[in-house]
Amino acid sequence: MKTPRYALLLSGGLASFATMAWSETTLTIGTVNNSDMVVMQELSSGFEKANPDIKLKWVVMEENALRQALTTDISTNAGQYDIMTIGMFEAPIWGAKDWLVPFADVPAEYDLNDVFQSVRDGLSAKDQLFALPFYAESQLTFYRTDLVEAAGETMPEQPSWDDIERIASKIHKPDEGVYGICLRGKPGWGENMGQITPVANSYGARWFDMDWKPQFDQPQWKEALEKYVGLLRNYGPPGAAANGYNETLTLFANGQCGMWVDATVSAGFLTNPDQSTVFDKIGYALPPIGKFAKGNHYLWAWSLAIPKSSKNTEAAQKFIYWATSKDYIELVAEHSGWATVPPGTRQSTYDNPAYQEAAPFAKLTLETIQSADPTDATQEKVPYIGISFVGIPEFGAIGTTVGQEFAAVIAGDKSVDDALSAAQAATTKAMTEAGYIK
């Protein structure tokens, strides 16, 4: 009788890894409090049972806090973490600085070629891979099919931001506890700025010109920010300036948002009846465009990497191979269903008939991931790589500062013009001090 895949994983994982012997080791893992990472933490007991010499210590933080903690740790060589949850912003920058252990000899059974090339490219520098993706994502427009239909509207497969505004105005019923749209307002380069920047791209804006001069004084940024802020001020939930990814996910899952534009990875959570009250009322569309399709949706991968300061490199690699493997994906499928598996990383997932049947969002997710191009995301030329971020070390601080200005507009504490003026001044100062502007 064939041993079930689930049992194989719990009894030893990938065969070649199970034969390796380890002295007792504690791996400290810094990760984000997103739902897929919480599942990884729950299922990791199977890894510990199969590897009794390795103990896992989890340090789970919200997105902004995680980024600050990991950046501080790795830049000071503090060595607090053996495994870091990072993305396409950090991996190439930290890898180029020789702060990360490269994945140079990935075992054949891991099937690295199954991982999407664009995702591997985004986690690489100097022709070396510095992280392995736990899940990858782009963006989708999620909407309540019942509300849109009742309003006499039809969601286009490729909506514009004007379409989104029109529909939001018709389904916004705060007296009934339903808001027209939810979007991130919480300040942070990966929170509100990670969502606003693709909107800006789609209106023809860019962070910098070819001389690294900030562009917030240009009309494209004003048009984009006015659209984003106007949607939240007119049709969003109260306190939107404090809502990040987890907050907006919860609002939509609880039936309080008519629409939501955010990460594709959310789809698996939202279709789970144990976690979502609207699991059977969700429609999916492509991310909205302003005036242009280019750069209107990002590419991101929450990934696992090993800092050079770790003294447990081999044990850390063993865990990462397990957590990002095909077998782990099947483990999640057996645990909570195919729709909930970590998406966006492997071709084999999207070729799997069971996943195709369980995940009505799979086709659009794959389309957005494959069409996102970090090397060509703006109408005018730019000196940087990135769609939702600028791929330079200074961007973490700059993006968060700008995000604070924009959150103040969403909160009603500042005008669009004043926030853009402050963003222009602060970014110019930072780039001058960093030597980009002479």
Side-chain angles (χ1 to χ4, degrees):
M1 178 173 154
K2 185 178 179 181
T3 305
R5 174 81 65 170
Y6 183 85
L8 282 173
L9 274 168
L10 294 187
S11 65
L14 299 173
S16 66
F17 304 146
T19 62
M20 303 172 73
W22 302 96
S23 58
E24 184 155 332
T25 300
T26 297
L27 296 177
T28 301
I29 305 170
T31 196
V32 66
N33 63 344
N34 292 352
S35 57
D36 288 83
M37 301 305 185
V38 173
V39 172
M40 176 174 64
Q41 186 178 356
E42 293 173 358
L43 296 181
S44 65
S45 60
F47 175 84
E48 289 183 302
K49 289 177 183 176
N51 300 277
D53 298 332
I54 302 176
K55 305 301 178 187
L56 305 177
K57 177 183 177 183
W58 295 86
V59 181
V60 183
M61 291 169 271
E62 65 89 24
E63 192 168 319
N64 286 340
L66 175 76
R67 288 184 164 125
Q68 183 175 1
L70 297 188
T71 300
T72 299
D73 184 87
I74 201 163
S75 62
T76 59
N77 199 38
Q80 182 179 348
Y81 303 96
D82 297 292
I83 297 173
M84 294 181 164
T85 305
I86 63 174
M88 291 184 169
F89 172 69
E90 298 94 347
I93 293 174
W94 293 0
K97 288 179 176 288
D98 200 32
W99 289 352
L100 299 174
V101 177
F103 287 87
D105 298 306
V106 179
E109 56 265 48
Y110 182 82
D111 194 4
L112 184 60
N113 288 332
D114 185 48
V115 178
F116 292 126
Q117 184 68 53
S118 62
V119 175
R120 284 183 276 152
D121 290 346
L123 299 172
S124 300
K126 302 186 296 186
D127 296 323
Q128 289 185 300
L129 182 64
F130 286 101
L132 291 177
F134 183 70
Y135 68 76
E137 64 185 22
S138 185
Q139 291 168 289
L140 285 178
T141 300
F142 303 94
Y143 63 95
R144 288 271 301 276
T145 54
D146 56 331
L147 299 181
V148 172
E149 182 179 349
E153 284 282 352
T154 300
M155 177 68 73
E157 182 172 307
Q158 176 57 84
S160 68
W161 281 107
D162 288 340
D163 291 328
I164 296 298
E165 185 172 28
R166 184 188 70 255
I167 295 171
S169 71
K170 294 184 178 182
I171 63 178
H172 183 60
K173 297 182 179 180
D175 292 344
E176 299 176 16
V178 176
Y179 305 97
I181 190 166
C182 289
L183 298 167
R184 295 194 217 182
K186 186 177 186 177
W189 71 260
E191 285 280 12
N192 62 353
M193 293 314 301
Q195 305 299 309
I196 294 172
T197 299
V199 181
N201 294 339
S202 79
Y203 279 95
R206 53 184 175 165
W207 272 80
F208 302 101
D209 68 11
M210 291 300 292
D211 296 319
W212 290 104
K213 293 179 181 177
Q215 298 294 292
F216 295 107
D217 56 357
Q218 298 301 302
Q220 295 93 332
W221 264 106
K222 182 175 181 178
E223 187 173 9
L225 188 58
E226 285 180 339
K227 177 65 72 175
Y228 195 93
V229 171
L231 283 166
L232 283 176
R233 295 286 296 277
N234 295 325
Y235 311 115
N243 291 341
Y245 172 74
N246 284 326
E247 291 83 4
T248 48
L249 174 64
T250 299
L251 284 167
F252 193 93
N254 289 344
Q256 295 171 269
C257 303
M259 291 182 290
W260 181 38
V261 180
D262 212 302
T264 53
V265 71
S266 315
F269 180 95
L270 293 173
T271 54
N272 187 338
D274 294 331
Q275 299 170 311
S276 171
T277 65
V278 294
F279 68 94
D280 57 347
K281 303 179 182 69
I282 304 174
Y284 312 93
L286 293 168
I289 60 173
K291 295 180 176 178
F292 311 101
K294 185 185 290 188
N296 76 312
H297 59 284
Y298 59 67
L299 179 64
W300 181 258
W302 277 117
S303 308
L304 302 178
I306 305 168
K308 279 283 186 76
S309 56
S310 171
K311 296 179 176 58
N312 303 303
T313 298
E314 291 186 13
Q317 286 180 332
K318 186 176 187 182
F319 176 79
I320 292 173
Y321 290 140
W322 174 84
T324 62
S325 67
K326 291 181 184 179
D327 286 348
Y328 177 83
I329 289 173
E330 294 203 17
L331 177 60
V332 176
E334 293 191 26
H335 174 263
S336 54
W338 270 104
T340 68
V341 303
T345 61
R346 290 181 172 272
Q347 184 64 51
S348 57
T349 300
Y350 290 84
D351 290 342
N352 189 318
Y355 185 66
Q356 294 171 7
E357 182 179 355
F361 46 82
K363 178 177 177 292
L364 285 182
T365 294
L366 186 60
E367 182 177 339
T368 57
I369 287 175
Q370 293 185 329
S371 61
D373 186 355
T375 68
D376 185 22
T378 55
Q379 289 299 304
E380 297 182 79
K381 290 184 178 181
V382 294
Y384 56 86
I385 292 175
I387 302 175
S388 59
F389 59 83
V390 176
I392 58 174
E394 295 79 9
F395 182 74
I398 291 172
T400 296
T401 297
V402 175
Q404 290 166 345
E405 293 293 338
F406 291 179
V409 184
I410 295 168
D413 297 332
K414 215 165 198 175
S415 70
V416 167
D417 286 339
D418 286 347
L420 288 171
S421 178
Q424 180 75 11
T427 306
T428 299
K429 182 175 183 292
M431 295 298 281
T432 300
E433 292 175 349
Y436 289 84
I437 300 175
K438 306 301 182 185

